[in-house]
Amino acid sequence: MAVNAFDVNPFVVNAFDVAVEVQVEGDRAEEVAERLPSLWELCAPTGDRAGRSARDAAVRVVFDSDPAVTALAAGAGHVSRERLEDLLQVLTQRITLAAIDAQAGRHLMLHAACLAEPSTGAAAAFVAPGGTGKTTFVRTLAMGRWYVTDETTVVNDDGTVVPYPKPLSVRRSPGSLFKDEMAPRAAGLRPPEGPVRLAALGLLDRDEHHVGPPVVETLDTLDAVLALVPQTSHLPELERPLQRLAALCESLGGVHRVTYREAADVAGWVEELLGGPA
């Protein structure tokens, strides 16, 4: 387990302005190292971040041919799996969690996918619990738009959004808990090329038994806040957290909940929120 794939040049991900260093060890470390640059291409540090020696967070990865080493590393809390694709899935989750923890108390962090209209920079965040179709939603409706994130939408106090165009976590089969990581560019997605400002907030309610066109309702502020609280990371650490959530909802003209069956069914609704081609 002595091999370190990044002894000279550590691999660093810019996860919504958090520099997360990925430390990869094990006799199969090079297999991980070969995959990371393309998967995380859109989250590479830029500017002064690219040259920083100090990191905000670190994630340790152990990929080794010895199952005993793998089990020991996993038991110690490191990212370690016997299959590469399984390891990459867990690594994406761990990088995201490390960045969320590093930003605790600084920003609103919604468990939401986010798309933006290139001509205006106007963005819509689509809040939903994990495993309910945010990535499919993005892959279906992002064409012609900026892919901001499929996982965590970070909103600054001035309403701007910090992009996090992470790898897409795509289910291997319907209903499977296992996912494969896909580089956004490989899926035809385009990262933000300018400032992004939140203009709309939606709550996704995907129902495979829903019949007919999508049903859209605008929630009052109290109901919107109650719906958003469970999908907001580290909310108690923020100053005046509920007031901030309420102010955001009201500044956007309310929160819209959409009940639908398939992501393609809500293309018209997304176009109304963002403008531009769906």
Side-chain angles (χ1 to χ4, degrees), residues 25 45 70 80 97 108 151 155 183 185 241 256-257:
E25 302 175 14
T70 298
S80 189
L97 289 174
L108 278 172
E151 173 62 32
V155 186
R185 290 196 192 278
H256 315 285
R257 179 164 58 202

Side-chain angles (χ1 to χ4, degrees), residues 191-268:
E193 299 171 5
V196 175
R197 179 176 294 275
L198 193 63
L201 193 55
L203 292 167
L204 302 183
D205 181 14
R206 183 177 179 273
D207 181 358
E208 63 181 12
H209 302 296
H210 180 76
V211 178
V215 175
V216 180
E217 56 180 322
T218 301
L219 305 181
D220 62 37
T221 300
L222 178 58
D223 287 340
V225 169
L226 290 175
L228 290 173
V229 164
Q231 305 304 328
T232 307
S233 298
H234 288 290
L235 186 61
E237 284 93 323
L238 286 173
E239 183 179 354
R240 303 174 66 248
L242 299 182
Q243 292 91 331
R244 291 176 73 165
L245 265 184
L248 178 65
C249 296
E250 293 176 356
S251 72
L252 299 174
V255 175
H256 315 285
R257 179 164 58 202
V258 59
T259 304
Y260 65 102
R261 182 171 182 174
E262 302 295 341
D265 299 338
V266 299

Side-chain angles (χ1 to χ4, degrees), residues 18-248:
V18 176
V20 182
E21 181 176 323
V22 181
Q23 305 164 348
V24 187
E25 302 175 14
D27 63 14
R28 298 180 66 187
E30 289 296 337
E31 296 177 46
V32 181
E34 289 173 1
R35 293 288 299 278
L36 295 184
S38 60
L39 286 175
W40 290 93
E41 176 187 9
L42 303 186
C43 293
T46 58
D48 59 352
R49 280 282 180 183
R52 286 188 54 176
S53 57
R55 307 304 176 191
D56 302 317
V59 176
R60 186 178 177 188
V61 178
V62 178
F63 193 42
D64 200 276
S65 57
D66 186 344
V69 172
T70 298
L72 183 64
H78 306 314
V79 177
S80 189
R81 296 292 187 276
E82 293 186 11
R83 295 183 72 252
L84 178 58
E85 296 303 324
D86 295 344
L87 182 145
L88 292 173
Q89 175 189 350
V90 176
L91 176 57
T92 296
Q93 297 168 352
R94 196 69 64 83
I95 289 172
T96 301
L97 289 174
I100 287 173
D101 289 345
Q103 290 284 32
R106 299 177 182 177
H107 307 283
L108 278 172
M109 295 183 284
L110 302 172
H111 195 202
C114 188
L115 300 173
E117 168 57 37
S119 63
T120 63
F126 305 96
V127 178
T132 58
K134 291 191 300 300
T135 298
T136 300
F137 189 93
V138 164
R139 294 184 69 189
T140 303
L141 299 170
M143 295 303 106
R145 300 191 170 102
W146 286 342
Y147 164 55
V148 182
T149 188
D150 74 338
E151 173 62 32
T152 303
T153 299
V154 178
V155 186
N156 293 318
D157 289 339
D158 63 0
T160 56
V161 175
V162 185
Y164 182 40
K166 56 176 279 296
L168 301 169
S169 300
V170 180
R171 291 190 186 281
R172 294 177 193 168
S173 60
S176 172
L177 294 177
F178 296 101
K179 301 178 181 181
D180 292 326
E181 302 306 294
M182 175 184 292
R185 290 196 192 278
L189 302 188
R190 173 185 173 191
E193 299 171 5
V196 175
R197 179 176 294 275
L198 193 63
L201 193 55
L203 292 167
L204 302 183
D205 181 14
R206 183 177 179 273
D207 181 358
E208 63 181 12
H209 302 296
H210 180 76
V211 178
V215 175
V216 180
E217 56 180 322
T218 301
L219 305 181
D220 62 37
T221 300
L222 178 58
D223 287 340
V225 169
L226 290 175
L228 290 173
V229 164
Q231 305 304 328
T232 307
S233 298
H234 288 290
L235 186 61
E237 284 93 323
L238 286 173
E239 183 179 354
R240 303 174 66 248
L242 299 182
Q243 292 91 331
R244 291 176 73 165
L245 265 184
L248 178 65

